[in-house]
Amino acid sequence: MIEAKDHDWAAGCACRPKAEATDRGAGGRAGWWAAYGELVLALGSGALTAAAWALQAFGAGAEAVVPLFLLAYAVGGYHKARAGLSLLFHQKKLGVDVLMILAAAAAAATGYWTEGAVLIFIFAMSDALETMTLARSRRDLSRLLSLQPETATRLVDGREEIVPIDALDVDDVVLVRPGETVPIDGVVLEGTSSVNQAAITGEAVPVDKAPGDAVYAGTQNTHGALKIRVTQRAEGTLFAKIVRLVREAEESMPPTQRFIDRVEGAYVYGVLAVTILLIVALPTVFHLSWTAALYKAIVFMVVASPCAVVASITPAILAAMSNGARNGLLLKGGAYLESLGRAKVVAFDKTGTITAGRHEVTDVLVADDVDRREWLSRVASAERLSEHPIARAIVAYAEREGVPLFEVDNLEAHAGLGVTVRLGERVLRIGSVVWIGLPDDHPWRAAIRDMEKEGKTFALVEEDGRPTGLIALRDVIRPEAKEAIAALRAMDVRVAMLTGDHRTPAEAIAREVGIDLVYAELLPDDKARIVDELRRKHGTVVMVGDGINDAPALARATVGVAMGAAGSDIALETADVVLMNDQLAKLVHAVRLGRRTERIIKQNLTFAAGVIVLLIAVNFGAALPLPLGVVGHEGSTILVILNALRLLRG
């Protein structure tokens, strides 16, 4: 069983302690229950304040009114007082919660019971609404924790047994009935169905599954029963990796938030110092009465509080991460959102990123005196024993052509070169043009030069010492690659390709998808070096890759992006962002999301600071009533949160 950390997501302007939860999904439920609890207390405080004000209006004495006001203070201020005192005693920091409680207490002490109670009520309502918006933003992230079932139906010698998912081992066989959740990563052995993978990969349409197809823990089987062979233990599943990465993301903090947190403590002390100065200076220097001076100081303490500034960032980051989670975009931390929004260069690996990493046969040339079908039958039969991607592509092509294949049991592989097979008295060699050799004046040389410009690679076939055929293949370009690259360039982002492939085919692929910056024939260390050069020259660099050889470059980039479905484990661990369904369109969404997030945070900070300056100016330039100051201050907090929630859309 995977434990979920239960964060107290009712954090308003101050940090709250975390606790452990034992059942999955508890974090999301705790966030909503905390929000509802605070909302009930806030409404209770408002009702008590209204009752006390009504009694006072009808002439009731202090003995009837004051207890109601005190109860309103206690009910509405409970959460804020607890948060402020916890911060003060445990972290030795003075937070804005304490400022609000002090302001309410000072208002009551000077006879402004109604104003103090209204301050508590609106402050409590603002805090409850903020808690609800934070819980809403985190819902799509915490929902992951409740997706994977705790048990699975394992098949042993034809009988079914219910076992915990932790008891499943690689090569076990599990049964997943229609409507059930896939409990573990595996490969379909028997059955066909459609599986809803939206929660893991972001794909909106269920994916058809048949024998040989991969399935992931946490996805939903729709209509057909599936027998699945386990390929990963519970702790190594894609689901488990996502949960781990989400937890890491929740703990991370963008640079802007870290700066606000550092400044907040000093700012609060500054507000408290100015408040004390006003209480002393206004009567002695400006000859205000002590009561008027204290009232104006209380208003200053309220309106100068940085609640809206503090709330400008976290809700926006969480809303954006929630948006990404719904769209198959896993962000390991809010800091990477800011970096994505500032991207100047996006560098792509070629194989498995721009291309699908799957070769297809495009052209077949055979000698004039050779029967094409018989020749293809011999070649494909010989390649059946090889696991090389080119060999698999040749076999798949022959099967599509309906060519009969036969068993071959004496294949000799030559690493990086090709294979040799003896078919009766005939010796067959299949491999690179360089290894087998082709005369310079051979007619196929011109065709090879032309096809190389199109990014194709070749398998030359030699039988009994003479070339009898040539097969041209090409790595399949992802259908969305060209559109995604065009979208990035439209956003003034430069696009580069970093590949270990030869320059001619690499440049051909780059031309087709619209990339003008090509670095070819690179080793893994070369890719990392190029990323460093791009960062020095352009600034923020995003690197997109899928393989082990991409890991150094992913680590050196400002933001490393891994292909989630096809990516290697080390690429997923090294990357900062994971495209769960391998769609490059999601990378475009990530950059746009980063830019929207940065723009909304700037809007929030500007608006919050502007409201504080305006309210302070009105307080000293005219008489600002405390209730209006509270409404202006807390209203700005609610507005910046609502503005941040716009990131949930799209």
Side-chain angles (χ1 to χ4, degrees):
M1 177 177 175
I2 301 172
E3 290 189 349
K5 284 186 179 178
D6 177 16
H7 294 264
D8 186 347
W9 291 340
C13 294
C15 300
R16 304 281 179 87
K18 294 177 288 184
E20 294 294 327
T22 55
D23 56 329
R24 283 187 290 264
R29 292 193 297 273
W32 284 109
W33 280 117
Y36 290 138
E38 290 190 30
L39 184 60
V40 168
L41 291 177
L43 292 173
S45 173
L48 289 167
T49 300
W53 176 82
L55 287 175
Q56 194 175 45
F58 283 103
E63 67 279 359
V65 174
V66 170
L68 283 177
F69 276 129
L70 289 174
L71 191 57
Y73 277 51
V75 170
Y78 167 73
H79 275 290
K80 302 307 285 183
R82 188 187 67 170
L85 293 175
S86 175
L87 188 68
L88 181 62
F89 291 129
H90 292 97
Q91 300 184 34
K92 309 302 181 187
K93 290 173 62 178
L94 189 63
V96 293
D97 298 318
V98 173
L99 289 183
M100 294 298 100
I101 299 301
L102 287 175
T110 53
Y112 295 101
W113 286 97
T114 303
E115 286 84 348
V118 170
L119 168 60
I120 290 291
F121 165 63
I122 297 180
F123 196 41
M125 281 295 297
S126 171
D127 193 44
L129 291 174
E130 184 176 352
T131 302
M132 294 183 73
T133 57
L134 290 175
R136 169 67 180 86
S137 299
R138 291 181 185 260
R139 185 176 63 183
D140 294 299
L141 300 178
S142 63
R143 186 165 58 96
L144 289 171
L145 301 174
S146 60
L147 287 178
Q148 189 178 29
E150 297 183 8
T151 60
T153 303
R154 182 166 60 186
L155 300 178
V156 180
D157 298 329
R159 59 185 175 80
E160 300 178 11
E161 60 180 21
I162 306 298
V163 298
I165 61 169
D166 290 342
L168 294 175
D169 281 318
V170 174
D171 292 331
D172 281 351
V173 177
V174 298
L175 175 66
V176 182
R177 294 183 173 87
E180 292 184 344
T181 302
V182 177
I184 201 81
D185 285 7
V187 174
V188 177
L189 288 179
E190 295 181 22
T192 58
S193 182
S194 293
V195 176
N196 187 342
Q197 301 183 160
I200 302 296
T201 67
E203 293 166 288
V205 179
V207 180
D208 292 336
K209 298 293 182 180
D213 292 336
V215 291
Y216 306 109
T219 57
Q220 301 295 314
N221 184 26
T222 58
H223 61 265
L226 297 175
K227 289 184 180 179
I228 298 169
R229 179 178 63 82
V230 177
T231 57
Q232 289 280 357
R233 285 185 54 82
E235 64 271 15
T237 63
L238 180 61
F239 176 87
K241 293 176 185 176
I242 292 173
V243 171
R244 184 170 67 252
L245 296 177
V246 167
R247 287 175 178 168
E248 293 173 0
E250 290 176 348
E251 296 298 325
S252 71
M253 189 182 297
T256 308
Q257 183 67 58
R258 287 197 295 268
F259 172 76
I260 293 295
D261 285 353
R262 286 198 303 269
V263 171
E264 180 191 356
Y267 181 88
V268 169
Y269 282 110
V271 169
L272 193 57
V274 172
T275 301
I276 296 172
L277 180 63
L278 289 173
I279 295 172
V280 174
L282 289 177
T284 57
V285 178
F286 296 97
H287 307 296
L288 265 69
S289 67
W290 285 101
T291 301
L294 183 59
Y295 188 86
K296 196 171 284 289
I298 292 170
V299 174
F300 169 80
M301 186 189 302
V302 171
V303 300
S305 175
C307 280
V309 174
V310 174
S312 295
I313 301 171
T314 300
I317 294 296
L318 291 174
M321 291 175 64
S322 176
N323 182 316
R326 290 200 314 273
N327 286 280
L329 184 68
L330 183 61
L331 296 145
K332 294 186 181 180
Y336 307 117
L337 270 170
E338 293 189 5
S339 297
L340 282 167
R342 298 168 186 165
K344 301 298 182 184
V345 178
V346 174
F348 290 93
D349 171 51
K350 181 178 78 69
T351 304
T353 304
I354 292 176
T355 66
R358 183 183 72 254
H359 285 79
E360 285 187 355
V361 174
T362 59
D363 305 271
V364 175
L365 305 177
V366 296
D368 294 338
D369 59 343
V370 172
D371 182 278
R372 186 179 185 279
R373 284 184 63 83
E374 292 182 0
W375 174 86
L376 185 57
S377 176
R378 294 192 297 272
V379 173
S381 297
E383 293 281 40
R384 284 177 73 182
L385 295 179
S386 174
E387 292 297 319
H388 195 279
I390 288 179
R392 292 199 296 268
I394 292 172
V395 172
Y397 176 77
E399 290 174 343
R400 288 196 301 270
E401 292 284 305
V403 173
L405 305 181
F406 52 87
E407 294 295 328
V408 175
D409 58 6
N410 57 355
L411 178 140
E412 179 183 358
H414 307 276
L417 301 174
V419 297
T420 300
V421 180
R422 182 174 293 277
L423 303 175
E425 298 298 321
R426 192 192 304 265
V427 176
L428 190 73
R429 288 203 305 160
I430 309 169
S432 68
V433 175
V434 174
W435 179 53
I436 293 177
L438 191 67
D440 292 338
D441 58 352
H442 196 284
W444 292 344
R445 280 290 183 184
I448 289 173
R449 285 192 293 271
D450 290 340
M451 288 189 285
E452 276 183 335
K453 296 175 183 178
E454 300 173 4
K456 296 177 181 178
T457 56
F458 308 94
L460 184 61
V461 181
E462 177 192 84
E463 296 182 87
D464 295 334
R466 79 178 184 103
T468 58
L470 180 73
I471 300 175
L473 307 96
R474 191 179 188 191
D475 197 355
V476 180
I477 295 176
R478 292 184 182 275
E480 76 278 9
K482 188 173 182 179
E483 183 179 348
I485 289 166
L488 289 171
R489 295 183 65 175
M491 291 188 284
D492 294 325
V493 177
R494 293 207 66 180
V495 182
M497 176 194 288
L498 278 59
T499 178
D501 204 353
H502 295 295
R503 178 161 293 278
T504 300
E507 289 179 341
I509 296 290
R511 281 195 302 272
E512 184 166 344
V513 297
I515 296 177
D516 57 1
L517 201 59
V518 181
Y519 301 89
E521 302 175 10
L522 301 176
L523 296 173
D525 288 347
D526 296 327
K527 290 185 178 182
R529 176 178 53 79
I530 296 297
V531 167
D532 284 339
E533 291 178 3
L534 290 172
R535 289 188 67 175
R536 285 194 296 271
K537 186 175 181 181
H538 299 285
T540 304
V541 174
V542 177
M543 174 69 196
V544 188
D546 73 311
I548 294 174
N549 62 338
D550 297 321
L554 291 173
R556 299 290 272 276
T558 314
V559 181
V561 180
M563 310 295 277
S568 66
D569 285 347
I570 191 170
L572 295 178
E573 294 293 336
T574 306
D576 309 307
V577 180
V578 180
L579 306 180
M580 296 309 302
N581 57 9
D582 286 1
Q583 290 186 7
L584 294 180
K586 300 304 181 185
L587 176 65
V588 179
H589 177 70
V591 175
R592 286 176 176 157
L593 186 62
R595 291 187 175 187
R596 284 182 63 204
T597 304
E598 187 175 25
R599 186 165 61 248
I600 282 177
I601 287 174
K602 287 180 179 178
Q603 291 172 357
N604 284 350
L605 290 173
T606 302
F607 175 73
V611 169
I612 289 175
V613 171
L614 176 63
L615 292 176
I616 291 175
V618 172
N619 182 43
F620 289 114
L624 179 66
L626 181 57
L628 288 183
V630 172
V631 170
H633 174 265
E634 295 303 325
S636 66
T637 302
I638 294 172
L639 286 176
V640 299
I641 294 171
L642 293 176
N643 189 45
L645 289 183
R646 293 193 296 127
L647 288 164
L648 290 170
R649 302 199 308 268

